[in-house]
Amino acid sequence: MLKSVGFLVLFLLFVPSGYAQVGINTTTPLSTLDVNGNLSVKTLTLNGSGSVTLINDGVYVSVNPQATDQEFQLPSPITYPGRIYFLRNINNTNTAKLTTAAGNFFFKGLTSGGVNTLYMYDNHYRTLLVISDGSNWTVYENYTP
């Protein structure tokens, strides 16, 4: 009995608590993950097809529609709260139709007027940053007139 109590005390002393901060290239992390240096994320190119092309992998995604209004679909923001995608239409001719499996797209700062489809084309919504808030996608656009 005394051995098991001693083991429990040692275990509690040396097991880290549930709150931890991880630092990469820093000895004093100030956030849950603190990176002092460069960060690389998975990038990929998705070519459009005759059916809906699902976006379910990567962070920086180049969409390449092979015909006008080919559909690229984000996953449900409900399933992936906090998920971030950088999306860019790399085709200079064809429009990419962006949809979501659930929820709507709301442009930054708006609480009404959400839409379920966006069209990405040359000089308008060419590059988008979308972030799941757990219900919808918040859209940050890079508009070039």
Side-chain angles (χ1 to χ4, degrees), residues 79-105:
T79 306
Y80 299 104
R83 184 166 282 188
I84 298 172
Y85 290 103
F86 294 91
L87 302 169
R88 179 158 176 81
N89 181 355
I90 60 171
N91 192 299
N92 290 321
T93 307
N94 297 319
T95 302
K97 178 180 177 181
L98 183 63
T99 61
T100 177
N104 282 315
F105 298 106

Side-chain angles (χ1 to χ4, degrees), residues 2-4 15-18 31 50-51 56 73 94 96 108 110 114 127:
L2 189 55
K3 282 185 178 181
S4 61
V15 171
S17 66
S31 298
S51 60
N56 57 14
Q73 185 179 73
N94 297 319
K108 176 188 159 220
L110 298 179
T127 302

